[in-house]
Amino acid sequence: MAKEQVQIFDTTLRDGEQVPGCKLDTKNKLKIAKRLDELGVNILEAGFPISSPGDYNSVVEISKIVKNATVCGLTRAVKKDIEVAADSLRFAKKPRIHTGIGTSDSHIRYKFNSNREKILERAIDSVKYAKKFVEDIEFYAEDAGRTDNEFLAHVCEQVIKAGATVLNIPDTTGYCLPNEYGSKIKFLKENVKGIHKATISCHCHNDLGLATANSISGVLNGARQIECTINGIGERAGNTSLEEVVMIMRQHPDLNVDTSINSKLLYSTSQLVSESMGMIVQPNKAIVGANAFAHSSGIHQDGVIKKRETYEIINPKDVGVDKSSIVLTARSGRAAIAYRAKKIGHDLTKLELDNVYKEFLILADQKKEINDSDLPEIIKKVK
Ligand code: KIV
Ligand code: ZN
């Protein structure tokens, strides 16, 4: 049976770029946009066009070069925002306007000093207005994670009637638990009239480290689009990480969902974004971190050398990493030393290995990591 497709909506260049101090210029944005298109993202959120002339210009230029993905621009539920976004998307083969407004009581009361009726009216008006410019309209109910489900369902129903093709249900503050976020999506699937006419999208922030889990929970409950960023970058603790959700669906065929992402480009894309933004990837980051396929303890190394799958659930080649690595530290065992020695041309006997190991431990207790230039020195000493 063919797997159901989950659309990947990449927002590295919009929500991702909201990381303090990591601003990208148009040249770098174009480089990343080209790569995201090659990676196979379905929708590429290129920016928030009204926010600055630079962002407007980036959306214009990105629209010209993207070949496959839908190009999307963010707006508030404000006419001028929508006009500027529509204008910036004029060269896009497949343009989408992403408009919306806060729907939680907190946003309604404190941000807008308004009430539910007026917010609903603005939501409907903004979708109707955006529809005058493009066919594909995504509506976001900001802070949906903390919005009352009945009201959220009512807003969703009305914006679908007004022409929204995608409903974005953001957990803007990263507050929800996975079962809570999943139940919200299920509630919308079961209670919004006309829901079959729209795609439900998950947009989860990582304030409690739950963005990936929440997005997957959303998909398990009927969402068919995930909004995410390369390396999980974004406001505060970041957004859902693209590489994580893609590989979760790939590694779990039982979920019966997949994406169009070429996973072999994940590692190099992560590096490109990291270098362009001057933002390092934490070494223990799932999928793309420097240690994601590195083994340093003796027990693990022994297993991986015998059969990679004993300690790895992903083949590194599938995400564009050349190979797993055996790192030599004071926690390494004889198997790892013999393995690395062989790689640099020394086939050690059992006795030689015992002697090398003793010397190795003395040095390893002083140094964090023993590299390929240290090993020949130790071998020379004992051979
Ligand atoms: O987190 C959020 O709610 C957003 C919206 C603007 C889509 O980024
Ligand atoms: Zn966001």
Side-chain angles (χ1 to χ4, degrees):
M1 200 174 71
K3 291 190 175 160
E4 276 198 59
Q5 288 292 304
V6 172
Q7 303 287 298
I8 293 295
F9 176 116
D10 180 277
T11 183
T12 305
L13 298 177
R14 199 278 295 170
D15 222 340
E17 208 232 4
Q18 290 175 210
V19 174
C22 292
K23 190 121 189 47
L24 292 168
D25 58 15
T26 302
K27 195 168 148 243
N28 275 313
K29 282 194 180 178
L30 282 166
K31 220 177 182 184
I32 293 174
K34 187 168 176 286
R35 167 44 75 99
L36 291 170
D37 201 25
E38 287 159 4
L39 180 68
V41 306
N42 306 95
I43 303 102
L44 194 161
E45 189 162 51
F48 181 10
I50 193 125
S51 66
S52 75
D55 221 33
Y56 168 87
N57 191 42
S58 296
V59 179
V60 172
E61 296 306 320
I62 289 170
S63 298
K64 290 180 188 167
I65 63 146
V66 167
K67 293 196 173 102
N68 305 307
T70 293
V71 181
C72 177
L74 184 81
T75 82
R76 294 166 297 183
V78 171
K79 276 189 168 176
K80 187 73 191 159
D81 283 30
I82 294 169
E83 288 159 11
V84 172
D87 187 51
S88 69
L89 291 166
R90 65 192 180 279
F91 296 111
K93 287 199 181 88
K94 293 183 267 177
R96 176 182 292 182
I97 291 179
H98 188 191
T99 189
I101 195 161
T103 52
S104 67
D105 288 337
S106 163
H107 279 219
I108 294 173
R109 196 171 310 146
Y110 301 114
K111 236 176 89 170
F112 299 113
N113 189 23
S114 188
N115 58 46
R116 286 184 175 183
E117 291 68 36
K118 287 187 186 146
I119 290 295
L120 177 63
E121 205 177 299
R122 279 186 66 180
I124 296 168
D125 288 350
S126 65
V127 171
K128 280 190 179 157
Y129 194 60
K131 202 78 182 172
K132 291 186 195 295
F133 301 94
V134 298
E135 187 45 42
D136 190 3
I137 309 294
E138 173 165 339
F139 175 81
Y140 65 85
E142 195 179 9
D143 204 15
R146 295 186 301 172
T147 299
D148 165 60
N149 281 351
E150 299 280 349
F151 179 58
L152 185 61
H154 186 51
V155 173
C156 288
E157 201 165 297
Q158 296 306 314
V159 295
I160 292 173
K161 265 197 202 152
T165 44
V166 181
L167 296 174
N168 180 7
I169 311 300
D171 183 20
T172 305
T173 58
Y175 175 74
C176 288
L177 294 171
N179 69 329
E180 194 181 356
Y181 188 75
S183 304
K184 195 172 274 290
I185 302 298
K186 188 165 187 272
F187 184 86
L188 297 176
K189 285 287 277 185
E190 288 171 356
N191 292 282
V192 172
K193 262 194 235 118
I195 193 71
H196 60 280
K197 294 187 204 153
T199 302
I200 300 183
S201 183
C202 308
H203 178 114
C204 299
H205 279 267
N206 206 30
D207 300 65
L208 292 172
L210 291 170
T212 294
N214 283 345
S215 299
I216 295 295
S217 177
V219 166
L220 295 181
N221 284 281
R224 284 294 173 266
Q225 179 177 290
I226 295 181
E227 310 201 357
C228 45
T229 60
I230 300 292
N231 300 332
I233 57 168
E235 285 268 355
R236 306 184 308 280
N239 286 65
T240 301
S241 143
L242 181 148
E243 55 280 3
E244 291 175 13
V245 288
V246 165
M247 290 314 290
I248 288 170
M249 289 184 258
R250 208 62 38 102
Q251 296 306 115
H252 282 273
D254 48 308
L255 299 182
N256 222 24
V257 281
D258 202 0
T259 70
S260 57
I261 296 296
N262 175 0
S263 67
K264 291 198 165 64
L265 294 180
L266 286 174
Y267 181 70
S268 53
T269 308
S270 156
Q271 289 293 302
L272 173 68
V273 169
S274 162
E275 280 156 22
S276 311
M277 287 196 157
M279 195 178 173
I280 56 152
V281 179
Q282 71 189 67
N284 59 324
K285 170 80 185 59
I287 320 292
V288 291
N291 293 345
F293 300 99
H295 306 273
S296 77
S297 92
I299 297 173
H300 291 209
Q301 290 174 334
D302 181 48
V304 169
I305 290 167
K306 286 173 179 150
K307 190 151 178 71
R308 191 187 57 73
E309 287 85 344
T310 53
Y311 285 94
E312 279 181 1
I313 58 155
I314 299 171
N315 184 338
K317 288 196 169 49
D318 289 349
V319 297
V321 174
D322 229 21
K323 54 180 171 14
S324 325
S325 54
I326 298 290
V327 184
L328 296 183
T329 71
R331 304 292 150 258
S332 301
R334 284 177 177 73
I337 293 159
Y339 172 82
R340 283 278 290 269
K342 200 167 177 183
K343 289 255 169 227
I344 54 170
H346 298 274
D347 219 343
L348 301 174
T349 64
K350 182 167 178 324
L351 184 64
E352 285 169 343
L353 180 59
D354 284 346
N355 291 334
V356 168
Y357 187 52
K358 267 187 226 145
E359 287 295 322
F360 164 82
L361 284 182
I362 295 167
L363 189 61
D365 267 338
Q366 293 158 21
K367 282 187 85 180
K368 272 195 185 132
E369 194 183 324
I370 302 291
N371 53 42
D372 282 347
S373 61
D374 297 317
L375 209 51
E377 289 300 313
I378 302 174
I379 295 170
K380 216 183 344 172
K381 230 167 145 183
V382 301
K383 247 186 159 182

